[in-house]
């Protein structure tokens, strides 16, 4: 294969970052279809609840400081598909309503690099009520270049020092995908690790995802004494690495730290960072580390350096909270870059309860076990895990057939809990471009439970969602629902539609003959 000439780049300036950027700008919300870019682990109701509880904790802490006049702004960086924001908003609103105590108002701001995503969120049906209430707005934000936020709905521009309340920053799977420096520590000295990037000839005609699959990277070291000088802003962190590490490669998040500095400057009170990623906060994880591998999923990501982000915050008087145990799939951190961070008691307690004690990573570990043992679980176990996961739509989708097989032995209490779960799930369902078939699955289960009124509602939604791909079983179930509910004319209409699709359907013919005979 003919190849382009190798070119040497500083790691943060290598073409992989521009290709990654192009991927998200071109794909828009389609990037998350069918988990091309993974999204469940940071877009389920369980992690949404954990974040809502920590945000609620900060609102309580601010109320305790008598800071209730100005709204607390919550800025989500790289909001992606948008499901996470919905889960946070729904749970946060429930908490505020349930508590019924004086709290400062809040506004959630979804941001992304891709303007197509920002435009799509503004018209998404699940978000309209929050927009109407004025508690949700949007902005295009380039974390590498921008220094202010221009809100799409209100037109407000938030710039340096405009906010009096602490800014809450949400950054899930964000720091792992923006440019980073790659350093090498050897014999107490700092080197930059440059990269040689090589693409096949004609690669510029390929889609970004294909370019990332075909790019070849190799590395070389270059002495970088500037990191050791007094004037370097993160010298204390680098000094720690020089002292503690040997023969180690480190992704150093200069762009992420600069972005946090910009966002910190928007508020006179500092920020609370809530973040989840493949990211290491323990220094031991960097010892003798090899150069990073690109983790491909349409785009690419690398492992975030939470140690550096947390250490820099603490050097500036902040508090960095990460689990005391090791994570397996996702690391969730809470960084308080605030004056007297220990006084934010409710925020810290929420982190302890909803991350440290049992958090999103623990839940995902359990889900992996459930995935393997789904066919041996009984209904009470499935309902318990579904309840733990906040009645998540994807958990329902993967278990609906198993639930159906267990209904014959289900008691009335389990059926009532299943009905309640379906209603809760539907209330938080965030429609994406990929098809889940949730309304159809829910309608068929409710039909098996003889819940004809509820079944009819969901089955009719299924027809509206995909009128060109209606299976005959759906018309039959709808006809029976109507007859059971005393809606004979509507039942006959569905029966005739069934016969148009399947003229020899025996049950449908019998129904028509029955009514014609009467």
């Amino acid at each position: 294969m003919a190849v382009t000439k190798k070119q040497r780049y500083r790691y943060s300036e290598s073409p992989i970052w521009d290709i990654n950027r192009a991927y998200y700008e071109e794909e828009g919300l389609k990037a998350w279809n069918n988990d091309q870019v993974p999204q469940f682990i940071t877009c389920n109701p369980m992690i949404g609840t954990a974040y809502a509880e920590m945000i609620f904790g900060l609102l309580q802490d601010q109320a305790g400081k008598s800071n209730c006049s100005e709204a607390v702004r919550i800025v989500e960086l790289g909001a992606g598909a948008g499901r996470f924001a919905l889960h946070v908003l729904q749970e946060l609103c429930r908490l505020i309503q349930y508590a019924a105590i004086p709290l400062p108002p809040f506004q959630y701001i979804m941001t992304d690099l891709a303007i197509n995503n920002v435009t799509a969120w503004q018209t998404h049906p699940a978000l309209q009520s929050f927009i109407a209430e004025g508690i949700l707005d949007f902005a295009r934000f380039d974390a590498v270049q921008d220094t202010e936020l221009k809100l799409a709905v209100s037109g407000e521009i938030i710039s340096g020092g405009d906010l009096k309340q602490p800014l809450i920053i949400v950054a899930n799977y964000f720091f792992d995908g923006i440019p980073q420096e790659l350093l090498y520590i050897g014999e107490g000295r700092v080197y930059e690790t440059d990269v040689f990037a090589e693409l096949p000839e004609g690669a510029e005609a390929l889609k970004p995802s294909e370019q990332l699959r075909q790019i070849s990277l190799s590395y070389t070291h270059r002495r970088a004494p500037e990191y050791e000088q007094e004037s370097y802003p993160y010298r204390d962190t680098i000094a720690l690495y020089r002292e503690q590490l040997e023969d180690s490669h480190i992704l150093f998040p200069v762009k992420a730290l600069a972005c946090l500095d910009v966002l910190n400057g928007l508020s006179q009170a500092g920020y609370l960072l809530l973040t989840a990623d493949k990211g290491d906060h323990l220094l031991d994880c960097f010892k003798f580390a090899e150069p990073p591998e690109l983790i491909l999923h349409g785009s690419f990501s690398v492992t975030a350096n939470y140690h550096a982000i947390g250490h820099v915050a603490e050097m500036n008087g902040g508090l960095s909270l990460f689990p005391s145990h090791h994570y397996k799939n996702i690391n969730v951190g809470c960084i308080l870059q605030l004056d007297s961070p220990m006084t934010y008691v409710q925020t810290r307690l929420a982190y302890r309860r909803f991350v440290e004690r049992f958090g999103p990573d623990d839940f995902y570990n359990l889900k992996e076990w459930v995935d393997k043992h789904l066919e041996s679980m009984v209904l009470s176990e499935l309902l318990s895990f579904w309840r733990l996961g906040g009645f998540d739509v994807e958990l329902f989708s993967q278990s609906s057939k198993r639930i159906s097989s267990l209904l014959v032995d289900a008691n009335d209490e389990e059926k009532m809990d299943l009905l309640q779960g379906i209603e809760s799930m539907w209330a938080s369902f965030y429609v994406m471009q990929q098809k889940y078939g949730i309304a159809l699955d829910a309608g068929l289960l409710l039909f098996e439970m003889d819940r004809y009124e509820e079944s009819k509602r969901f089955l009719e939604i299924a027809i509206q969602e995909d009128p060109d791909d209606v299976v005959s079983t759906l018309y039959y179930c709808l006809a029976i629902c109507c007859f059971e509910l005393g809606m004979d004319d509507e039942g006959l209409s569905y029966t005739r539609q069934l016969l148009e699709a399947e003229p020899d359907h025996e049950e449908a013919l019998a129904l028509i003959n029955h009514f014609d005979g009467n």
Side-chain angles (χ1 to χ4, degrees):
M1 177 186 293
V3 294
T4 59
K5 182 180 178 181
K6 282 188 179 181
Q7 294 189 55
R8 180 171 178 167
Y9 300 90
R10 190 179 186 185
Y11 190 77
S12 62
E13 297 171 358
S14 67
I16 57 174
W17 305 107
D18 288 336
I19 297 172
N20 220 35
R21 181 187 183 104
Y23 171 82
Y24 285 106
E25 289 183 322
E26 290 182 15
E27 293 294 319
L29 294 186
K30 291 186 294 184
W32 289 271
N33 280 8
N34 302 312
D35 280 344
Q36 181 172 301
V37 175
Q39 49 87 26
F40 173 81
I41 195 169
T42 55
C43 292
N44 61 75
M46 197 276 178
I47 191 172
T49 294
Y51 277 54
E53 291 281 358
M54 290 185 281
I55 294 169
F56 184 63
L58 184 126
L59 295 180
Q60 292 177 84
D61 287 327
Q62 288 303 96
K65 300 174 187 290
S66 300
N67 294 332
C68 286
S69 56
E70 185 183 348
V72 172
R73 308 297 183 102
I74 306 156
V75 174
E76 183 182 356
L77 302 174
R83 284 184 64 197
F84 175 82
L86 174 67
H87 293 316
V88 173
L89 285 165
Q90 287 184 325
E91 184 60 24
L92 182 57
C93 289
R94 282 192 285 261
L95 287 169
I96 291 171
Q97 182 179 17
Y98 190 85
I101 57 177
L103 294 170
F106 75 91
Q107 183 184 51
Y108 198 103
I109 303 168
M110 298 170 65
T111 76
D112 207 292
L113 172 67
I115 188 62
N116 290 340
N117 292 355
V118 178
T119 303
W121 298 330
Q122 289 178 255
T123 58
H124 197 287
L127 302 177
Q128 295 309 302
S129 62
F130 302 111
I131 298 172
E133 290 180 53
I135 61 175
L136 177 62
D137 214 319
F138 315 91
R140 182 191 181 276
F141 183 71
D142 184 338
V144 176
Q145 299 178 3
D146 291 343
T147 59
E148 61 183 20
L149 292 167
K150 183 174 182 180
L151 305 191
V153 177
S154 68
E156 179 186 3
I157 297 176
I158 303 174
S159 54
D162 284 349
L163 307 178
K164 295 179 182 178
Q165 295 275 33
L167 177 67
I168 299 177
I169 304 168
V170 173
N172 294 337
Y173 277 139
F174 180 77
F175 296 128
D176 64 358
I178 62 174
Q180 304 184 48
E181 303 299 345
L182 181 56
L183 307 182
Y184 173 77
I185 306 295
E187 298 181 348
R189 294 184 176 185
V190 181
Y191 300 80
E192 281 210 29
T193 303
D194 291 340
V195 59
F196 288 99
E198 191 173 14
L199 274 168
E201 192 172 274
E204 64 278 0
L206 300 175
K207 297 184 67 171
S209 57
E210 187 61 29
Q211 291 182 36
L212 288 172
R213 280 194 292 268
Q214 296 197 25
I215 197 166
S216 175
L217 305 177
S218 56
Y219 303 92
T220 187
H221 299 149
R222 170 175 48 83
R223 184 78 172 92
E226 62 270 22
Y227 289 91
E228 303 167 18
Q229 296 175 2
E230 289 283 348
S231 59
Y232 186 66
Y234 312 117
R235 181 181 179 277
D236 289 341
T237 306
I238 297 296
L240 181 63
Y241 293 164
R242 291 173 60 201
E243 177 186 342
Q244 299 290 327
L245 299 178
E246 176 60 34
D247 190 21
S248 302
H249 293 82
I250 302 165
L251 284 164
F252 199 71
V254 175
K255 297 295 185 183
L257 292 168
C259 174
L260 291 174
D261 282 343
V262 167
L263 295 173
N264 185 43
L266 300 182
S267 170
Q268 301 172 27
Y271 66 78
L272 168 70
L273 170 64
L274 305 177
T275 181
D277 215 319
K278 305 180 305 296
D280 295 322
H281 66 281
L282 299 173
L283 193 57
D284 283 349
C285 296
F286 298 92
K287 291 182 177 179
F288 306 107
E290 297 290 330
E293 294 184 6
L294 302 187
I295 302 168
L296 299 179
H297 34 62
S299 60
F300 82 90
S301 60
V302 291
T303 301
N305 186 343
Y306 277 149
H307 178 273
I309 294 172
H311 188 264
V312 169
E314 291 184 343
M315 290 295 98
N316 292 324
L319 177 65
S320 175
L321 301 177
F322 283 92
S324 57
H325 54 272
H326 293 81
Y327 77 99
K328 182 176 183 290
N329 293 287
I330 192 168
N331 200 2
V332 181
C334 173
I335 294 177
L336 298 91
Q337 190 66 75
L338 304 164
D339 290 337
S340 304
M342 292 298 292
T343 64
Y344 288 81
V345 176
Q346 297 303 325
T347 307
R348 293 189 295 110
L349 283 173
Y351 182 83
R352 181 182 182 276
R353 291 193 300 267
F354 292 93
V355 179
E356 171 70 29
R357 184 174 177 273
F358 180 89
D361 187 53
D362 301 298
F363 172 73
Y364 193 76
N365 291 338
L366 286 180
K367 182 187 178 298
E368 289 186 320
W369 184 93
V370 169
D371 291 344
K372 296 174 183 176
H373 297 85
L374 183 65
E375 294 306 313
S376 63
M377 294 176 70
V378 299
L379 187 56
S380 60
E381 294 168 341
L382 288 170
L383 287 171
S384 293
F385 186 72
W386 194 30
R387 191 176 301 112
L388 176 65
F391 301 107
D392 181 72
V393 64
E394 292 194 25
L395 297 178
F396 175 79
S397 180
Q398 72 182 94
S399 61
S400 60
K401 289 183 179 179
R402 175 61 180 167
I403 292 172
S404 174
S405 71
L406 296 170
L407 281 179
V408 64
D409 296 320
N411 58 44
D412 290 342
E413 290 80 6
E414 289 171 330
K415 290 180 179 179
M416 285 298 296
D417 288 346
L418 180 56
L419 171 62
Q420 182 185 40
I422 289 173
E423 295 289 358
S424 296
M425 172 194 67
W426 191 253
S428 62
F429 181 35
Y430 186 89
V431 177
M432 295 173 62
Q433 293 186 22
Q434 67 195 76
K435 295 179 181 179
Y436 284 103
I438 296 302
L440 178 59
D441 289 343
L444 293 176
L445 279 179
L446 291 166
F447 181 82
E448 292 181 63
M449 293 162 55
D450 299 332
R451 304 292 306 204
Y452 298 114
E453 184 175 355
E454 294 89 348
S455 176
K456 179 176 182 291
R457 177 164 66 92
F458 279 102
L459 293 177
E460 287 177 337
I461 291 172
I463 290 179
Q464 295 167 9
E465 288 180 341
D466 199 357
D468 297 326
D469 190 25
V470 178
V471 297
S472 57
T473 303
L474 196 156
Y475 285 131
Y476 178 73
C477 292
L478 274 169
I480 297 301
C481 287
C482 291
F483 293 136
E484 291 288 345
L485 294 169
M487 306 165 67
D488 292 351
D489 289 342
E490 194 171 347
L492 285 169
S493 174
Y494 281 124
T495 305
R496 293 188 181 101
Q497 291 180 70
L498 169 56
L499 287 171
E500 288 179 14
E502 194 173 333
D504 297 327
H505 196 285
E506 293 183 4
E507 290 87 349
L509 291 170
L511 287 169
I512 292 291
N513 290 333
H514 171 76
F515 280 94
D516 287 345
N518 293 336

